[in-house]
Amino acid sequence: MHRDGDLAGLGGGFTPEQAREFELAQRRLGRIRFSEPTSVVAAYRRAPMTFWAALAMARHVHRMQQAEKHGELLPKQMYEALIHVPRIDAITSTLGSVWSLHPDGYHSEDSWPAHLQWGADQLVETVRHLRAGRMVAALAMVRRQLERWTLNVAQHFGVEPAEDENKVVYFTRVWAEYPWLRADIGQAWAELSECLHGRGSMGAAQSWEAAAGDVRTATIQVPQATLDLNQRMADIAGTVFTQVRGGVRTLAQQAGRDSWAMAMLSNYSVREVPDLLEPGRVAIMPLDPAYAYSSWADNATSAARGYRLVVTAAGQNGTLLDLPTSHVMGAVLERRGRAIDRFRMSMEREIRVLGDDYQPGTLEARLFRYVAISEAAEVISDWSSPEEAACLRLAAGALRSAFYLWLEDTDIAMACVRVLLEQTCQARAWRTKPQRAKRISELKGTVTSSARWIEASGWRRAKVLGQALGEFSHVDLRAAVFGARRLLGAIQAEDVAESERPYKARGHALDSTAYLLAFEVSERLMGVDEGLAEGFREQITLLDAVEHSRRIEDLLARVHDLRSFDFRDL
């Protein structure tokens, strides 16, 4: 990744003096005691021009390397569910129009077979994020799939919610139509929601995130709490996926393909999970321009085309039941192939629209800043109280998940931005109003909403932004996603052309919220060392303290002006 400004490229864009300093700074990082601010300050003073760039990229690379080493991040159960995907693809491609490029099938106009295939797509995406250690992305996906397919079960059996019925109770009642599942889906939904608010098992589980970026450690031990949470997500995702399989089974039965329908009832068991990272490191690498136009991406798109031909032919010539489990990797690569095609189409559209104003380094610069802000938040979490540390780490993890998903052009990115906003506000509240934060955290029997923490942070004018992000966080018949998207478009600065606002809405929300976290990081750094904070601003945010404050004030003012926004007014 690269960035603009004085440090135009990490290594290639430095002056000779900066390049030498950057190399030295990276070598010294392994000797920094990150839990001791004095050690970090001393390292900064030895390489002030490139310290933050070196730290961010070294930790980011180390994080990916650690994920590659730990196949246990993916529970075996998820791979066993993946084995169904090639047959699902064969059935749906034979019985309908499929292979949609739309990443969010729940509000597209694709066919029912394509929608069922989207359920398989989401299983594959959940597998990728679990395998890569991106817990916030995986949590958001599993919860949304649970909500989406609960609607399907409820519609099939005619289960209507009672007036003022709690979601937990309703979800449990809906899935009780399948007593053989022996799963309390309402409780499962509550657990996922608790984790996305930073409560429950999330605190201990996210220590994986902190350890993975620590460049002092060659190999880490994945905490048992992380493995337990991943296993819980796998249990829930596998249960929900039975409804997708059931939908495919019904589709096959309606077409008179009883043997295909029976295949959806089969359960698989494997002793070991094959490595799903290669070829193309499909779970680890973000879908940025460097990846999307690489030889890895070319191989993935080629493999995707071949896979589609194979499974479609298997459905058409009657050999569907003979598809080997080796096609699972093909199913994973096929999803990468469609994502890459979608990314390339978006880039080509942007080049056409912007013309001479197109700046190829702009996106890479943004991605670098997201990486650097998240890694800086991880570093300062070591110097904070346990409550603040948990918030900062979850905010950092949410930012990493958000920008990965934003690159995939999916609304689920905004669910992660909501976590980022809430946890940033919570960390700020603990720093500036600890007694109030303590009172909020001690509330029993009450859901501590994002709005409560936004208000406690002193940024209460951002409440309608939190509300909009909340609409993206759930799949619900009452969710006002299109209204929320209009709000995200409306809060952009006046100099953004009206025609560009819909295309830039999610990216602006991500960027704005990332800079709220960056502000909290820089304020905490100022309490440690003024030079360390100034270096962060100069190398990462490219804003001084006054300008950063002004931009946040402008954002809050624009959002507050829309406080009466009607999300359902079309």
Side-chain angles (χ1 to χ4, degrees):
M1 292 182 186
H2 306 286
R3 63 186 291 273
D4 52 8
D6 292 336
L7 307 181
L10 297 181
F14 289 143
T15 65
E17 181 184 3
Q18 289 171 333
R20 286 192 297 272
E21 185 182 284
F22 181 82
E23 184 178 348
L24 286 171
Q26 287 220 309
R27 288 207 298 264
R28 291 169 179 154
L29 286 173
R31 298 196 294 271
I32 297 176
R33 297 181 298 280
F34 287 106
S35 61
E36 300 176 16
T38 54
S39 180
V40 177
V41 171
Y44 166 76
R45 290 175 178 171
R46 285 193 292 269
M49 292 185 294
T50 61
F51 172 79
W52 283 107
L55 180 143
M57 295 315 300
R59 288 177 63 99
H60 178 61
V61 170
H62 188 265
R63 188 179 301 281
M64 292 193 292
Q65 290 172 340
Q66 287 300 318
E68 287 184 279
K69 294 176 181 179
H70 292 285
E72 68 271 24
L73 287 166
L74 180 65
K76 182 163 64 74
Q77 181 180 345
M78 290 299 285
Y79 181 77
E80 292 169 348
L82 275 183
I83 294 175
H84 289 281
V85 174
R87 288 181 177 175
I88 289 175
D89 288 340
I91 293 170
T92 54
S93 63
T94 302
L95 301 179
S97 175
V98 293
W99 315 120
S100 172
L101 288 180
H102 201 297
D104 295 321
Y106 60 89
H107 57 64
S108 74
E109 297 179 357
D110 292 322
S111 66
W112 179 241
H115 192 79
L116 289 169
Q117 189 183 64
W118 170 76
D121 294 348
Q122 290 296 289
L123 180 77
V124 172
E125 292 306 293
T126 303
V127 164
R128 287 199 317 111
H129 292 293
L130 278 173
R131 177 63 186 85
R134 289 187 291 273
M135 287 186 296
V136 178
L139 282 163
M141 284 186 164
V142 174
R143 187 176 70 170
R144 282 160 63 96
Q145 284 295 290
L146 184 157
E147 292 174 342
R148 167 61 192 99
W149 295 103
T150 295
L151 291 175
N152 186 246
V153 177
Q155 180 186 42
H156 180 75
F157 289 102
V159 183
E160 296 291 337
E163 187 175 355
D164 298 325
E165 185 174 22
N166 181 282
K167 262 190 174 181
V168 174
V169 175
Y170 178 61
F171 284 9
T172 296
R173 189 161 62 83
V174 169
W175 286 83
E177 296 290 341
Y178 296 137
W180 51 269
L181 284 178
R182 298 179 182 177
D184 187 338
I185 296 298
Q187 181 58 35
W189 179 86
E191 288 178 37
L192 295 171
S193 297
E194 285 289 287
C195 286
L196 285 167
H197 285 290
R199 301 187 293 268
S201 60
M202 193 61 180
Q206 68 180 330
S207 59
W208 146 258
E209 293 276 23
D214 191 342
V215 294
R216 298 168 300 171
T217 308
T219 303
I220 67 169
Q221 181 76 29
V222 179
Q224 187 59 47
T226 302
L227 299 179
D228 289 344
L229 179 55
N230 283 9
Q231 182 60 56
R232 183 60 175 143
M233 282 191 271
D235 291 340
I236 298 169
T239 298
V240 172
F241 191 59
T242 59
Q243 185 64 14
V244 178
R245 289 164 54 188
V248 176
R249 180 170 178 257
T250 300
L251 188 70
Q253 286 175 326
Q254 292 172 344
R257 306 297 181 93
D258 291 340
S259 62
W260 292 5
M262 290 298 294
M264 289 295 99
L265 294 175
S266 302
N267 289 315
Y268 298 95
S269 179
V270 297
R271 291 186 177 182
E272 294 183 2
V273 177
D275 188 357
L276 295 176
L277 297 185
E278 297 295 345
R281 302 174 73 197
V282 294
I284 303 298
M285 300 297 291
L287 187 53
D288 60 6
Y291 182 89
Y293 292 97
S294 68
S295 59
W296 283 339
D298 290 338
N299 291 338
T301 55
S302 177
R305 289 191 295 270
Y307 171 86
R308 291 176 206 134
L309 291 173
V310 168
V311 295
T312 301
Q316 292 175 345
N317 63 26
T319 60
L320 177 151
L321 300 179
D322 299 326
L323 283 173
T325 58
S326 60
H327 280 60
V328 169
M329 177 53 82
V332 175
L333 286 173
E334 194 284 322
R335 273 70 189 176
R336 283 293 79 205
R338 269 188 281 157
I340 291 164
D341 288 341
R342 183 170 62 244
F343 183 92
R344 289 174 173 178
M345 288 173 59
S346 297
M347 289 292 290
E348 289 163 8
R349 180 184 61 198
E350 184 173 346
I351 291 171
R352 287 197 305 271
V353 170
L354 296 179
D356 293 339
D357 292 331
Y358 173 71
Q359 298 291 329
T362 301
L363 175 57
E364 292 172 333
R366 288 177 72 175
L367 298 181
F368 169 80
R369 285 193 278 272
Y370 297 151
V371 167
I373 292 167
S374 66
E375 294 301 343
E378 292 275 11
V379 169
I380 63 172
S381 71
D382 281 341
W383 313 338
S384 308
S385 70
E387 295 85 2
E388 294 170 87
C391 299
L392 290 166
R393 287 172 183 164
L394 184 50
L399 176 52
R400 280 189 288 273
S401 287
F403 86 73
Y404 266 78
L405 290 168
W406 173 65
L407 288 168
E408 303 282 339
D409 199 24
T410 169
D411 283 346
I412 307 175
M414 296 299 97
C416 298
V417 173
R418 185 196 190 191
V419 177
L420 169 60
L421 175 63
E422 178 180 345
Q423 295 304 312
T424 299
C425 289
Q426 192 168 340
R428 181 175 171 82
W430 278 108
R431 180 176 62 84
T432 61
K433 303 172 184 176
Q435 293 305 313
R436 185 174 182 182
K438 188 173 186 295
R439 288 195 300 271
I440 295 174
S441 68
E442 290 175 346
L443 290 173
K444 303 295 183 183
T446 302
V447 174
T448 306
S449 67
S450 299
R452 195 186 301 275
W453 285 114
I454 291 171
E455 184 172 342
S457 72
W459 288 335
R460 65 178 303 174
R461 288 175 293 169
K463 285 174 68 173
V464 73
L465 172 60
Q467 183 183 348
L469 295 172
E471 297 293 337
F472 287 102
S473 300
H474 297 283
V475 177
D476 189 293
L477 294 177
R478 294 169 294 181
V481 174
F482 295 106
R485 198 185 309 279
R486 287 189 295 109
L487 177 86
L488 296 188
I491 65 174
Q492 296 174 76
E494 293 181 358
D495 60 355
V496 178
E498 197 67 34
S499 61
E500 295 179 7
R501 287 174 180 263
Y503 300 105
K504 294 183 175 181
R506 292 180 302 192
H508 175 265
L510 169 60
D511 216 39
S512 299
T513 313
Y515 266 69
L516 291 178
L517 176 59
F519 185 82
E520 183 62 20
V521 168
S522 60
E523 288 294 290
R524 289 168 180 269
L525 290 172
M526 278 295 291
V528 174
D529 182 81
E530 184 175 348
L532 191 64
E534 288 301 319
F536 177 75
R537 293 188 181 111
E538 290 173 4
Q539 297 171 34
I540 307 305
T541 68
L542 310 184
L543 301 173
D544 62 28
V546 173
E547 178 65 11
H548 202 159
S549 295
R550 186 190 67 78
R551 290 199 184 186
I552 289 176
E553 177 60 30
D554 288 349
L555 170 70
L556 295 176
R558 294 196 304 271
V559 174
H560 188 62
D561 285 345
L562 295 165
R563 60 191 178 278
S564 300
F565 190 89
D566 187 348
F567 289 83
R568 299 185 184 279
D569 182 12
L570 299 177

